[in-house]
Amino acid sequence: MVNDADSLPNIEPALYSWHKSPLVIMYDLCGNETTVTEFLLLGLTNIQELQFVLFVVFLILYLISLAGNCAIMMIIICEPRLHSPMYFFLGNLSCLDICYSTVTMPKVLENFFSTHKVISFLACITQLHFFHFLGSTEAILLAIMAFDRFVAICNPLRYLILMKHQVCLQLATAAWVISFFYALMHSIMTSQLNFCQSHQLNHFFCDVKPLLELACGNTVLNQWLLSVVTGSISMGAFCLTLLSYFYIIGFLFFKSRSWNRLQKALSTCASHFMVVCLFYGPVGFTYIRPTSDSSMAQDRIVAIMYSAVTPVLNPLIYTLRNEEVKFAFKKALRGKFLF
């Protein structure tokens, strides 16, 4: 009697399916090519006692991020005094933070109580694309915001001419468009890989580095693009940001003789610089340093910082350290209560 498994290579058509939950794999006759249709997200921890605690913590962070960033956007839109280039870019940053946290947090929250912690291949690539798209946009936008502060402080008489509304729109559009095609490069390159090592993704969302760990075949080009292109965008934006601040500090200390102006300018820039450090620090740690055997566990911890914590801290930093935003917020609250 002939075993069914032995007769499979003689069956037409050439491809057949082997369903192995939660992973679906397609094999050809030679057994060389594999197509993964789902990934199993290992998440942050497998300790059941911590699942509820982490769910509550991440839910609170996500809700604060949504509420804080939405409040900043509404205040900037409704308050005429905040219709300036600096607050136009701050509104863009708040919009980015809402989208950035929404790319990962809903799935993370769902998986805390899910017994089937899978994500489809298409959803995984889509999440990867928007994560890098929005993250890269934020990196470029922070550099633009630093340049805006440089022009405002070092060349105040020409500020409204150099940073007119049309120029601000062009700069913001350039940041979004460049980042979209940068993320599209990673999405296409990653989607072309064969995944035959495992279906277990050692992360709580889909990112390039953990996916490359699962890929079989040559991933040198993907690693190079991740290190060089991602490094160039993030470090290029970071260097431009630092350069702007060096010029600002130099101008204030050596050319400006007003202590009040120095204090006000440093206070304004301090909040922006705190956001820059909170964003570029974890990103540099994750994507620029060499990959090691223990790096994935560290990357998961660091990823919490820029995917969940930073979007929460941004509105708090700008609200607590910015007198104009605080005044507009109090004005909006008074108007609401009086109404």
Side-chain angles (χ1 to χ4, degrees):
M1 186 172 180
V2 181
N3 190 305
D4 290 341
D6 297 333
S7 64
L8 282 172
N10 298 320
I11 295 175
E12 295 293 341
L15 294 178
Y16 65 89
S17 299
W18 179 20
H19 296 267
K20 184 178 180 182
S21 182
L23 176 68
V24 181
I25 305 177
M26 298 296 290
Y27 283 91
D28 67 3
L29 287 178
C30 301
N32 320 338
E33 301 293 331
T34 62
T35 304
V36 175
T37 63
E38 289 180 342
F39 290 106
L40 175 65
L41 293 168
L42 297 183
L44 290 168
T45 180
N46 56 5
I47 302 172
Q48 291 300 320
E49 292 77 9
L50 290 176
Q51 299 290 337
F52 179 73
V53 176
L54 289 173
F55 172 81
V56 172
V57 170
F58 276 80
L59 179 61
I60 291 171
L61 288 174
Y62 183 51
L63 293 177
I64 293 174
S65 172
L66 292 181
N69 285 295
C70 283
I72 286 181
M73 287 179 63
M74 293 304 298
I75 288 169
I76 290 172
I77 292 170
C78 297
E79 178 54 56
R81 291 180 57 187
L82 301 183
H83 292 176
S84 65
M86 182 176 82
Y87 295 106
F88 169 77
F89 293 123
L90 179 57
N92 270 262
L93 182 65
S94 294
C95 178
L96 270 173
D97 282 334
I98 292 170
C99 299
Y100 196 46
S101 56
T102 303
V103 168
T104 55
M105 284 301 102
K107 186 65 177 175
V108 172
L109 293 170
E110 176 193 335
N111 284 345
F112 279 126
F113 295 110
S114 175
T115 56
H116 196 57
K117 301 179 181 182
V118 297
I119 184 169
S120 69
F121 182 82
L122 180 59
C124 186
I125 296 299
T126 303
Q127 188 181 61
L128 180 154
H129 173 81
F130 280 98
F131 184 77
H132 281 268
F133 167 39
L134 297 168
S136 177
T137 305
E138 182 158 346
I140 297 172
L141 187 63
L142 289 173
I144 294 172
M145 291 174 73
F147 175 74
D148 170 72
R149 292 299 82 208
F150 161 71
V151 177
I153 293 170
C154 300
N155 204 346
L157 297 179
R158 300 189 61 198
Y159 176 63
L160 293 178
I161 298 173
L162 294 174
M163 299 300 292
K164 57 185 178 182
H165 187 63
Q166 185 180 0
V167 174
C168 294
L169 281 175
Q170 290 171 346
L171 289 171
T173 302
W176 287 86
V177 171
I178 291 170
S179 300
F180 178 84
F181 286 105
Y182 155 76
L184 188 64
M185 172 199 69
H186 277 309
S187 304
I188 293 173
M189 292 297 297
T190 306
S191 66
Q192 300 302 310
L193 295 172
N194 292 319
F195 298 94
C196 57
Q197 302 286 344
S198 169
H199 67 283
Q200 297 183 347
L201 199 64
N202 191 15
H203 217 301
F204 58 92
F205 65 90
C206 287
D207 199 4
V208 178
K209 283 184 76 174
L211 284 170
L212 292 182
E213 293 288 320
L214 302 184
C216 53
N218 191 344
T219 61
V220 173
L221 179 58
N222 299 76
Q223 295 281 4
W224 183 85
L225 289 172
L226 185 64
S227 299
V228 176
V229 180
T230 304
S232 298
I233 290 177
S234 58
M235 286 299 98
F238 182 58
C239 289
L240 287 174
T241 303
L242 286 182
L243 188 63
S244 296
Y245 282 118
F246 283 143
Y247 271 107
I248 289 171
I249 292 170
F251 175 83
L252 291 174
F253 276 105
F254 298 111
K255 292 188 178 181
S256 177
R257 299 182 182 277
S258 171
W259 172 250
N260 289 333
R261 186 183 179 191
L262 173 63
Q263 191 176 24
K264 183 180 178 181
L266 289 177
S267 176
T268 304
C269 292
S271 58
H272 183 202
F273 193 69
M274 287 173 66
V275 172
V276 167
C277 293
L278 287 169
F279 180 78
Y280 285 112
V283 168
F285 180 86
T286 301
Y287 296 106
I288 297 173
R289 69 190 177 93
T291 303
S292 63
D293 294 336
S294 62
S295 65
M296 291 313 300
Q298 296 170 350
D299 287 349
R300 286 202 308 273
I301 297 170
V302 174
I304 296 172
M305 186 67 187
Y306 58 78
S307 63
V309 178
T310 303
V312 174
L313 293 179
N314 283 355
L316 292 176
I317 290 169
Y318 279 110
T319 302
L320 295 175
R321 296 191 60 87
N322 192 301
E323 293 298 328
E324 290 180 318
V325 174
K326 284 196 289 186
F327 177 80
F329 185 68
K330 291 175 182 176
K331 180 181 174 182
L333 287 178
R334 282 198 304 268
K336 183 178 179 62
F337 287 127
L338 287 174
F339 180 79

